[in-house]
Amino acid sequence: MHKLRTTCLLAALWLGAMVLPGHGARADAFADLASPQLGAVTAAISTLAASDDPQAGAVLQALGERNLFAAPDGSVYIRHGENYIDARTGQPAASVPEGLKPIRLNNRIRTALAGAQAGRDLLAPQPATRLRAADALYARHDPAMLAVVEHALAVEKDAAVRTRLTEVRAATILGQPPAPDALQPRLDAVRALGAVGGAQARGILAGVAQSDAEAPAVRHEAQQAVSRIDWHLRAWGVAQNAFYGLSYGSVLLLAATGLAITFGVMGVINMAHGEMMMIGAYVTWMVQQAIRATIPALEPVAIVVAIPVAFLVCGALGIVIERGLIRFLYGRPLETLLATWGLSLILQQAVRSIFGPTNIAVQTPGWLSGSVAVGGMDITLNRLAILVFAGLVLGGLMLVLRRTSLGLQMRAVTQNRRMAALMGIRTPRVDALAFGLGAGLAGLAGVAVSQIDNVSPNLGQSYIIDSFMVVVFGGVGNLWGTLAAALALGMGGKVLEPTIGAVSAKIAILVLVILYIQRHPRGMFPVRGRGVES
């Protein structure tokens, strides 16, 4: 079957070469490779690629490897080590003329060679190879390859490859100069590319719409197709930015839930919360390095192992900070703010001294790499995983707060600390565990951030302000408010960025939050309770 396909396609290549412009000079295609005109060189490459000349493949391969030489008399030679063979005959050259020079190779010629190779790959028995070749030909849409594409389309059985070849044919037809007798094929090609959509199709159609040589009907059809594609691209662009906003919002959610716990229960403005995120990211890197050195087979799941390790390390560090520093400053918010700010500087410098000031590379596992195309959106797997992870962490935290005795005690302390103490709850213990829980959640945020951001001693500074804004905007101590605020601020910022720029978008979001807080000082979802109300 493959031999039959090959034979038929070679026949089509020959027939195609017969009708190609300049075919009459096919015998001179070898000499044209040495032409100083780049257009002549690329045309020669297309001619040879579409020909049945047995030497064509070897010549094009030699050109790509810089082993093709031309003499002043137009003869072309392929160099094999110290010897030369005649490019036209494939026979060893007894002698080579004086003045032999290598045929130049630049980006335009490399592109032409890639297109020629793609045309030959349409012969491959594997559908994946043929599909890649069709993609390459679509990007190039070389008119010289039309006969090759049409024959490949006639014999293709795979549905996906056939669909792509139909699009390639349409793009190739529009790549040809317009002719009076080709009105209907060009109209069909415009409609086909309009249905495909995408940036590449738009570029081709925009060229047709602006060409004075095109028939008015073709230009009108192309202009309408461009308008439709522009609308779809804008819609998908908004959806893409919304996804990025969801991803960023999920990171803010992970970072802000810890703050919502510590600020809501203890009233502590912890300026070192961002450094807990940074330590969580460094713990992820250390776990990866340890597994790589001891059990390399587990390296793909190192990120999963790092999740509980980062939570425990940061949680334990949080308890130590609360017991060693914070508990002496309760009731003094200004001193607490300054102390935690100083602590954040100490932690940054400590990490900088141990690991160095430069970024470290946390490896993304293969199962989190890549993306999935959904319509005109590109859904990256690592950001999608962070979105799911943030949801799982929030769900787990809800269960802890609503279904465990620790959660009950924390909610009691949040609503009325004095009354909770009178009921026998050991509020200092709750404070320490709440601070440890908040720090542990920040460590989880660090694990997530390590997959999408640079890991350095300054990592936490990039998120601490936005995290505080989320907590205040959503309502201090309310997790539903934290969720709503994180998603609103994340998506709002990303959707505004393409229109007014990143800095202006951040300023606009900040102004909107300030205006909202002026009218609703307790945020979107204020916590209810006697202590809070008082």
Side-chain angles (χ1 to χ4, degrees):
M1 182 64 188
H2 176 58
K3 291 182 177 178
L4 178 60
R5 179 200 294 271
T6 303
T7 303
C8 294
L9 186 52
L10 284 175
L13 288 170
W14 183 80
L15 290 173
M18 292 290 292
V19 300
L20 287 173
H23 165 70
R26 200 193 76 184
D28 295 327
F30 293 96
D32 287 344
L33 291 173
S35 171
Q37 303 297 326
L38 285 177
V41 177
T42 55
I45 291 172
S46 298
T47 301
L48 287 173
S51 74
D52 58 346
D53 194 308
Q55 281 298 110
V59 169
L60 295 179
Q61 182 179 356
L63 177 60
E65 297 173 351
R66 295 181 182 273
N67 285 323
L68 196 63
F69 290 75
D73 61 357
S75 55
V76 183
Y77 298 88
I78 299 174
R79 184 178 65 184
H80 282 286
E82 299 296 330
N83 302 317
Y84 290 86
I85 64 174
D86 191 310
R88 287 187 173 84
T89 64
Q91 299 299 317
S95 61
V96 294
E98 295 290 335
L100 203 62
K101 293 182 179 179
I103 294 179
R104 62 176 172 172
L105 181 65
N106 57 22
N107 289 337
R108 184 174 172 182
I109 295 176
R110 288 191 185 94
T111 303
L113 285 172
Q117 181 60 42
R120 290 178 170 270
D121 284 346
L122 292 179
L123 294 167
Q126 298 84 5
T129 304
R130 299 201 300 274
L131 187 59
R132 284 197 298 271
D135 288 340
L137 289 173
Y138 180 76
R140 190 184 174 203
H141 51 275
D142 184 356
M145 305 300 290
L146 179 60
V148 179
V149 173
E150 288 185 333
H151 178 75
L153 181 62
V155 300
E156 182 59 59
K157 302 298 182 185
D158 186 273
V161 180
R162 186 175 176 79
T163 300
R164 192 55 169 165
L165 283 174
T166 303
E167 298 163 3
V168 173
R169 179 178 179 274
T172 307
I173 288 175
L174 293 180
Q176 293 180 320
D181 57 345
L183 177 61
Q184 191 57 45
R186 295 183 76 80
L187 280 173
D188 294 340
V190 168
R191 293 176 185 130
L193 281 190
V196 173
Q200 283 187 328
R202 187 198 180 283
I204 298 171
L205 291 172
V208 173
Q210 297 172 359
S211 174
D212 295 332
E214 290 286 354
V218 177
R219 292 179 58 185
H220 177 71
E221 191 72 24
Q223 289 168 355
Q224 289 188 327
V226 168
S227 299
R228 289 194 299 270
I229 292 175
D230 284 343
W231 189 90
H232 284 289
L233 288 177
R234 283 194 294 270
W236 283 114
V238 171
Q240 182 75 69
N241 289 325
F243 171 72
Y244 287 147
L246 277 177
S247 172
Y248 183 64
S250 63
V251 174
L252 289 181
L253 174 64
L254 287 171
T257 47
L259 277 179
I261 296 295
T262 56
F263 199 19
V265 175
M266 307 162 63
V268 173
I269 302 175
N270 180 17
M271 295 299 292
H273 190 78
E275 277 56 50
M276 296 294 109
M277 286 181 60
M278 177 263 291
I279 291 174
Y282 273 90
V283 168
T284 306
W285 178 78
M286 288 190 290
V287 169
Q288 273 193 348
Q289 298 302 312
I291 290 179
R292 183 176 299 167
T294 55
I295 317 174
L298 294 180
E299 190 173 349
V301 295
I303 187 72
V304 179
V305 178
I307 291 174
V309 176
F311 179 80
L312 293 175
V313 169
C314 294
L317 184 58
I319 292 175
V320 170
I321 292 172
E322 197 278 337
R323 290 289 86 189
L325 178 65
I326 303 298
R327 71 187 180 103
F328 300 109
L329 301 173
Y330 284 140
R332 293 185 289 173
L334 180 59
E335 287 85 343
T336 304
L337 187 149
L338 291 175
T340 54
W341 179 63
L343 178 63
S344 71
L345 297 179
I346 294 172
L347 291 174
Q348 286 181 43
Q349 186 56 44
V351 170
R352 192 175 288 111
S353 300
I354 296 172
F355 298 98
T358 57
N359 297 336
I360 61 172
V362 177
Q363 191 73 30
T364 299
W367 53 276
L368 279 181
S369 302
S371 61
V372 177
V374 179
M377 294 175 59
D378 194 24
I379 307 295
T380 52
L381 295 181
N382 55 354
R383 291 184 178 274
L384 183 62
I386 291 174
L387 196 61
V388 175
F389 180 61
L392 293 176
V393 170
L394 184 64
L397 186 59
M398 290 285 191
L399 286 177
V400 169
L401 293 179
R402 297 178 184 276
R403 301 294 182 184
T404 65
S405 60
L406 174 62
L408 180 62
Q409 293 175 5
M410 288 175 60
R411 285 188 288 137
V413 173
T414 302
Q415 294 180 2
N416 194 318
R417 174 180 291 272
R418 179 170 297 181
M419 182 64 73
L422 292 175
M423 294 296 292
I425 295 176
R426 296 164 56 193
T427 55
R429 176 177 174 273
V430 173
D431 289 339
L433 292 177
F435 203 91
L437 179 60
L441 291 172
L444 295 182
V447 176
V449 169
S450 69
Q451 298 301 304
I452 60 172
D453 205 346
N454 295 323
V455 176
S456 71
N458 300 321
L459 169 67
Q461 299 301 306
S462 304
Y463 295 92
I464 186 65
I465 301 300
D466 286 350
S467 299
F468 271 113
M469 196 157 58
V470 166
V471 172
V472 174
F473 184 48
V476 176
N478 191 310
L479 292 181
W480 290 116
T482 303
L483 171 64
L487 297 183
L489 296 183
M491 293 182 64
K494 292 298 180 183
V495 170
L496 287 176
E497 279 182 7
T499 305
I500 60 177
V503 175
S504 299
K506 193 169 282 294
I507 293 174
I509 292 292
L510 181 60
V511 170
L512 290 175
V513 169
I514 291 173
L515 293 176
Y516 185 86
I517 293 299
Q518 283 184 335
R519 295 186 60 85
H520 305 278
R522 294 178 182 171
M524 291 191 293
F525 297 87
V527 174
R528 305 295 181 184
R530 293 180 181 178
V532 175
E533 298 293 340
S534 63

